[in-house]
């Protein structure tokens, strides 16, 4: 199967070899330039029903740390905003840099954040499975949340505690930011970052890139486990897409 990563040989600039869609017309992430976004008063607020969310597992898939949810019904869903119907929460995961800097995928006028949280939802009204939705142009909706370094509490464990006060957002048609890079994502990126503690953001989660979830990743010389960091794709060409703002 295709091996891809974030290194010199297998990183974002090489992905097009195995995934030609990498050079497609609706690739993500992008650089969001607020002065070039269009305020769309018809955009409804987004509504998140995360109260009854049931997380199932946390895993390291070699590219990120992923928390999966049981997605058997629409208890845990996102609706409203640019979406025609409810999209069911499947998983959330993070992208981060090394040593707490430049880890976000989306940027705002070139500004990078320390990390970016992605809450991945699929269109369960139109598709039977996540896999089917992941390949369809209106199949997925990913809520992107910037993480900035500071101190904040992280009580409880509903994804709701991972959200900022304001749900003002930008939205645009895009793609998965990792292979297979399907152009199936309606991106909803919140403008307000959430603050997480320096020590959490400063040090990327101790995960290795070989899929093991070690209790502490050791930096071995020459091969062996490598600390997973800089697992972000750089911004991609807008190719004429319009980025709409839910706020003025
Ligand atoms: C789509 C791929 C798996 N990839 C993703 O699910 C995914 C989700 C979100 C992002 S991001 N960074 O844009 O938010 C990137 C990749 C393979 N796959 C195909 C079918 C399928 C079924 C279950 C699990 C994985 C499956
Ligand atoms: Zn992601």
């Amino acid at each position: 199967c295709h091996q891809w990563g974030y290194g010199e040989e297998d990183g974002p600039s090489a992905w097009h070899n195995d995934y030609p869609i990498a050079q497609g017309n609706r690739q993500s992430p992008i650089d969001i330039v607020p002065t070039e976004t269009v305020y769309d008063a018809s955009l409804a607020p987004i509504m998140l029903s995360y109260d009854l969310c049931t997380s199932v597992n946390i895993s390291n898939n070699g590219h990120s740390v992923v928390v999966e949810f049981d997605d058997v019904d629409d208890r845990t869903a996102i609706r409203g905003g640019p979406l025609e119907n409810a999209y069911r929460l499947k998983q959330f995961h993070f992208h981060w840099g090394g040593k707490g800097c430049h880890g976000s995928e989306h940027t705002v006028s070139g500004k990078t954040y320390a990390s970016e949280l992605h809450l991945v939802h699929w269109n369960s009204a139109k598709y039977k499975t996540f896999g089917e939705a992941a390949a369809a142009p209106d199949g997925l909706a990913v809520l992107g949340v910037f993480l900035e370094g500071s101190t904040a509490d992280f009580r409880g464990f509903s994804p709701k505690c991972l959200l900022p006060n304001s749900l003002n957002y930008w939205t645009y048609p895009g793609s998965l930011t990792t292979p297979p890079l399907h152009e199936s994502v309606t991106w909803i990126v919140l403008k307000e970052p959430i603050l997480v503690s320096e020590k959490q953001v400063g040090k990327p989660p101790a995960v290795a890139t070989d899929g093991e979830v070690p209790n502490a990743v050791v930096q071995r010389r020459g091969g062996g486990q490598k600390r997973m960091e800089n697992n972000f794709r750089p911004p991609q060409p807008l190719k004429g897409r319009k980025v709409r703002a839910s706020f003025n």
Side-chain angles (χ1 to χ4, degrees):
C1 74
H2 302 308
Q3 277 313 310
W4 59 271
Y6 292 94
E8 269 313 297
E9 309 299 312
D10 62 1
S13 52
W15 291 350
H16 69 93
N17 297 314
D18 284 331
Y19 303 94
I21 192 84
Q23 292 161 346
N25 293 326
R26 56 174 281 193
Q27 289 290 295
S28 294
I30 59 167
D31 179 42
I32 297 168
V33 183
T35 51
E36 287 162 22
T37 61
V38 179
Y39 169 58
D40 181 343
S42 73
L43 274 174
I46 51 172
M47 292 175 285
L48 302 162
S49 48
Y50 286 160
D51 299 330
L52 290 171
C53 68
T54 39
S55 56
V56 172
N57 63 40
I58 180 167
S59 67
N60 162 4
N61 63 11
H63 311 295
S64 181
V65 181
V66 186
V67 174
E68 292 228 280
F69 290 83
D70 121 22
D71 58 345
V72 290
D73 62 30
D74 282 354
R75 266 177 309 171
T76 313
I78 183 173
R79 38 175 74 81
L83 306 171
E84 302 288 310
N85 49 261
Y87 283 59
R88 206 176 279 180
L89 179 64
K90 168 81 179 160
Q91 51 108 317
F92 71 72
H93 63 272
F94 298 87
H95 299 265
W96 60 85
K99 309 180 210 0
C101 59
H102 68 271
S104 63
E105 298 214 292
H106 289 90
T107 53
V108 182
S109 297
K111 173 187 169 51
T112 61
Y113 287 86
S115 172
E116 188 170 332
L117 158 67
H118 289 159
L119 291 135
V120 182
H121 310 75
W122 60 283
N123 189 341
S124 47
K126 270 187 81 172
Y127 305 101
K128 284 189 294 302
T129 65
F130 171 79
E132 192 191 335
D138 60 351
L140 302 183
V142 180
L143 186 65
V145 186
F146 294 120
L147 274 61
E148 192 63 285
S150 167
T151 49
D153 66 9
F154 187 82
R155 260 192 293 271
F157 202 73
S158 140
K160 251 195 160 99
C161 73
L162 289 171
L163 299 175
N165 304 325
S166 159
L167 290 182
N168 282 342
Y169 63 87
W170 293 293
T171 181
Y172 76 95
S175 74
L176 300 178
T177 65
T178 63
L181 300 169
H182 290 322
E183 296 189 330
S184 59
V185 182
T186 298
W187 276 96
I188 299 169
V189 180
L190 298 185
K191 176 174 182 287
E192 184 184 330
I194 61 166
L195 307 177
V196 289
S197 73
E198 204 56 55
K199 56 182 175 304
Q200 275 168 318
V201 171
K203 194 164 23 45
V207 289
T209 54
D210 60 6
E212 288 308 305
V213 187
N215 43 22
V217 177
V218 288
Q219 192 72 30
R220 290 214 189 100
R221 293 281 156 261
Q225 280 173 334
K226 221 166 66 56
R227 175 178 287 283
M228 185 199 301
E229 56 191 23
N230 297 323
N231 62 345
F232 60 91
R233 186 192 194 189
Q236 301 303 306
L238 199 52
K239 302 243 178 138
R241 283 173 286 175
K242 198 168 60 163
V243 181
R244 291 182 290 161
S246 72
F247 59 96
N248 222 331

